[in-house]
Amino acid sequence: MDDITVLGVGNTIMQDDGFGVHVIEKMQEMKWPDNIKFLDGGTLGMGLLPYLEGTTRLLIVDAISADGKAGDFFSFAGEEVNAYFSHKISVHDLGLNDLLAALSITNKPIKETIIMGVKPAVVDLGVSMTKNIEAKIDETVEKIIIQLKKWHVQPII
């Protein structure tokens, strides 16, 4: 059975940049099998290495800098993950790129990495997300659950 980590990243004092962390908080309210963990990674970057060692599949939830309008949903897998990190917008994105590189050379590299999230409306000092982006949390949770089911994991009812 695969060990799966769903990692929320972002800065919760930079408004919509904290989207990934807020999604993880919502998912932690559900009951899950023992082979899956939900991790609030904040902006730790390489500091997350010990928490991800042994993970077979990794799903990262983040505020996504991409073309489109605020609130648009994005999902990247395979080589798209590398392309995503070639357009870094924040310090935690830089740290995540280094983290994924370090994980790829461990004794048990991650088999699959997916990044999901929405385009933020506002990334500025403040603890509240904009209403448009906050409204995307439940929709993103549902999309993550769909992906987890593809990995043969679902919430326990």
Side-chain angles (χ1 to χ4, degrees):
M1 183 178 329
D2 287 329
D3 288 325
I4 298 168
T5 300
V6 182
L7 171 66
V9 294
N11 190 337
T12 57
I13 63 167
M14 295 296 290
Q15 290 183 289
D16 295 342
D17 188 57
F19 180 78
V21 173
H22 292 293
V23 169
I24 292 305
E25 289 171 352
K26 180 85 172 183
M27 297 196 80
Q28 287 173 328
E29 295 172 2
M30 302 175 205
K31 186 163 175 56
W32 295 90
D34 292 338
N35 68 314
I36 186 166
K37 65 181 171 184
F38 294 88
L39 185 60
D40 170 355
T43 58
L44 289 177
M46 285 296 287
L48 295 169
L49 187 60
Y51 300 101
L52 296 177
E53 289 185 73
T55 292
T56 319
R57 298 182 190 272
L58 175 64
L59 196 154
I60 299 171
V61 188
D62 197 2
I64 305 288
S65 175
D67 292 336
K69 64 182 190 301
D72 284 352
F73 178 83
F74 296 91
S75 180
F76 305 104
E79 289 303 312
E80 294 172 326
V81 172
N82 294 331
Y84 169 72
F85 283 115
S86 71
H87 297 83
K88 304 169 200 73
I89 63 159
S90 69
V91 174
H92 72 262
D93 284 340
L94 289 167
L96 276 177
N97 195 16
D98 293 340
L99 176 67
L100 292 176
L103 286 167
S104 72
I105 60 172
T106 62
N107 289 335
K108 189 178 176 192
I110 294 174
K111 289 195 285 191
E112 186 174 6
T113 300
I114 294 176
I115 299 175
M116 291 184 175
V118 299
K119 182 176 177 82
V122 177
V123 178
D124 202 0
L125 192 60
V127 295
S128 297
M129 288 193 303
T130 58
K131 294 211 180 294
N132 179 37
I133 302 308
E134 186 175 16
K136 299 293 183 174
I137 291 174
D138 288 339
E139 179 182 322
T140 302
V141 166
E142 288 304 314
K143 291 180 180 189
I144 292 168
I145 290 172
I146 289 168
Q147 177 58 50
L148 293 174
K149 285 180 179 178
K150 290 178 184 176
W151 287 344
H152 308 289
V153 176
Q154 58 188 8
I156 298 170
I157 298 175

